[in-house]
């Protein structure tokens, strides 16, 4: 299924190999977090109109959020995109995904709210899901105070963040929560250890940044109860019913171990009658959308997300 690896991506992988850092699955949580932070600290973030660091009430503790406003936004209050960072539910924070949030803010002319949810293993499932859902509820009520339009509310994220975004759409439907107009799922981790074994796990399980053994390492820290491995809010691909969810933009990458589960989720959404725009990047790896300074096609990924958001916000405004 794979084409040739993008030359710029190969340069990134070669550079990482030269650093001889231990793989995530061979590191402590603290070391893995430091390595992840260092990887994304090299990016040069775009300027935006305004950035605010806030805290909002959470289920167990206040939730830090970061709010981005475009410099030259639309005349009316812009749509609101609540996003959740990747990092296997263990790594990542507001800073690692700051460049991504800034790029989407500018490309989509929208208000972006980045959520610093509780991470595993200190806070296993369902802590992250509950924090993310709480933040979306808060945005639905208070985004207007930040200059955004709470009637045009979307969610999204990459990898584990895509998992959380998909889970939030299920919760919003099941709990009668905020009316979400779109979901942006960037190479989402939607499967479970008790789910299907996809071919891409073996094909792309080593040598392409995200290792299959690292996926297992993340899962062991996030899912600490065997029953939770079958919970649809932990693994949305296991959900029996995906109908009634907001339209989706789904990005997958050819050299990503998560490729096939992302494609399977696209198929499930379409079978349930959900409108889906699926953009596949055959020459890319996991996390490529965050490589804005070094991989040209990362900007195409940002534009794919922005196009989906603009279309959804425009449709909601009509």
């Amino acid at each position: 299924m794979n084409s040739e690896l993008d030359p710029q991506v190969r340069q990134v992988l070669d550079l990482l190999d030269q650093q001889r850092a231990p793989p995530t699955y061979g590191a402590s949580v603290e070391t893995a977090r430091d390595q992840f932070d260092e990887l994304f600290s090299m990016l040069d973030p775009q300027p935006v109109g305004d950035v605010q660091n806030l805290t909002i009430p959470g289920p167990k503790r206040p939730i830090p959020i970061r709010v981005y406003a475009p410099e030259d936004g639309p005349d009316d209050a812009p749509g609101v995109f609540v996003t959740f960072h990747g990092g296997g539910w263990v790594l990542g924070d507001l800073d690692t995904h700051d460049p991504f949030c800034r790029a989407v803010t500018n490309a989509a002319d929208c208000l972006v709210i980045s959520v610093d949810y509780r991470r595993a293993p200190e806070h296993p499932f369902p802590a992250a899901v509950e924090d993310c859902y709480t933040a979306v509820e808060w945005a639905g009520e208070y985004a207007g105070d930040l200059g955004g339009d709470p009637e045009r509310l979307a969610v999204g994220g990459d990898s584990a963040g895509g998992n959380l975004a998909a889970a939030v759409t299920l919760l919003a439907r099941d709990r009668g929560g905020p009316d979400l107009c779109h979901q942006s799922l960037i190479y989402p981790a939607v499967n479970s250890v008790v789910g299907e074994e996809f071919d891409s796990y073996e094909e792309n399980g080593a040598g392409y940044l995200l290792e299959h053994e690292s996926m297992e390492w993340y899962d062991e820290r996030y899912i600490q109860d065997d029953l939770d491995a079958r919970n649809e809010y932990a693994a949305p691909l296991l959900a029996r019913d995906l109908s009634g969810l907001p339209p989706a933009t789904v990005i997958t990458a050819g050299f990503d171990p998560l490729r096939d589960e992302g494609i399977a989720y696209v198929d499930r959404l379409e079978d349930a009658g959900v409108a889906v725009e699926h953009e596949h990047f055959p020459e890319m790896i996991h996390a490529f959308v965050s490589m804005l300074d070094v991989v040209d096609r990362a900007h195409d990924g940002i534009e794919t997300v922005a196009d989906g958001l603009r279309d959804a916000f425009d449709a909601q405004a009509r």
Side-chain angles (χ1 to χ4, degrees):
M1 186 172 182
N2 285 341
S3 61
E4 290 189 9
L5 190 67
D6 182 273
Q8 291 179 317
V9 169
R10 171 51 64 195
Q11 290 180 343
V12 172
L13 294 176
D14 289 345
L15 179 62
L16 292 175
D17 285 344
Q18 293 170 15
Q19 294 178 357
R20 300 184 182 275
T24 300
Y25 61 84
S28 67
V29 169
E30 182 179 3
T31 297
R33 285 174 176 165
D34 288 344
Q35 289 180 176
F36 195 82
D37 293 350
E38 184 177 357
L39 177 63
F40 289 100
S41 68
M42 297 181 290
L43 299 173
D44 187 19
Q46 300 177 15
V48 296
D50 186 54
V51 179
Q52 298 183 65
N53 289 309
L54 306 172
T55 57
I56 63 175
K60 297 293 184 179
R61 64 156 176 82
I63 304 171
I65 64 171
R66 186 171 293 170
V67 183
Y68 302 82
E71 188 168 4
D72 296 311
D75 293 335
D76 298 327
V80 180
F81 179 49
V82 184
T83 183
F84 317 117
H85 66 79
W89 309 278
V90 178
L91 318 178
D93 54 25
L94 299 180
D95 291 334
T96 60
H97 284 63
D98 180 77
F100 166 82
C101 292
R102 289 168 177 269
V104 172
T105 299
N106 289 332
D109 278 337
C110 69
L111 195 77
V112 172
I113 300 176
S114 183
V115 180
D116 198 12
Y117 54 83
R118 286 172 291 165
R119 299 180 298 184
E122 298 90 342
H123 306 284
F125 175 85
V129 178
E130 292 293 351
D131 280 3
C132 292
Y133 182 71
T134 297
V136 171
E137 285 192 310
W138 182 89
E141 186 169 355
Y142 294 107
D145 295 341
L146 301 172
D149 181 358
E151 298 300 317
R152 296 188 290 163
L153 184 62
V155 297
D158 67 304
S159 194
N163 165 285
L164 294 169
V168 164
T169 67
L170 289 168
L171 279 171
R173 180 197 66 185
D174 297 344
R175 295 181 179 178
D179 184 15
L180 303 174
C181 68
H182 197 71
Q183 54 180 319
S184 302
L185 310 180
I186 306 170
Y187 24 79
V190 288
N191 198 18
S192 167
V193 293
V194 300
E196 182 179 348
E197 277 289 324
F198 291 104
D199 291 343
S200 58
Y201 295 166
E202 183 174 352
E203 289 176 18
N204 303 321
Y208 300 114
L209 189 66
L210 176 61
E211 307 274 350
H212 190 210
E213 289 183 82
S214 294
M215 291 166 52
E216 296 172 341
W217 186 90
Y218 293 133
D219 285 335
E220 289 170 1
R221 282 147 186 79
Y222 183 54
I223 304 297
Q224 298 182 13
D225 185 315
D226 290 343
L227 288 177
D228 289 338
R230 301 182 182 277
N231 190 310
E232 64 184 36
Y233 302 131
L237 190 58
L238 301 185
R240 294 182 180 180
D241 179 17
L242 294 179
S243 63
L245 298 180
T249 296
V250 182
I251 289 176
T252 54
F255 289 87
D256 184 357
L258 300 184
R259 178 195 69 205
D260 290 351
E261 67 184 78
I263 293 172
Y265 199 63
V266 168
D267 294 340
R268 287 285 317 282
L269 288 171
E270 290 178 337
D271 290 345
V274 177
V276 182
E277 184 68 32
H278 175 210
E279 191 72 30
H280 182 63
F281 292 79
E283 73 284 16
M284 290 291 114
I285 61 172
H286 194 77
F288 81 92
V289 174
S290 295
M291 301 177 185
L292 288 161
D293 288 351
V294 290
V295 176
D296 291 342
R297 295 227 67 193
H299 297 275
D300 295 332
I302 294 292
E303 283 302 319
T304 298
V305 173
D307 287 345
L309 290 172
R310 284 194 298 264
D311 290 347
F313 293 150
D314 289 346
Q316 194 77 356
R318 289 196 291 267

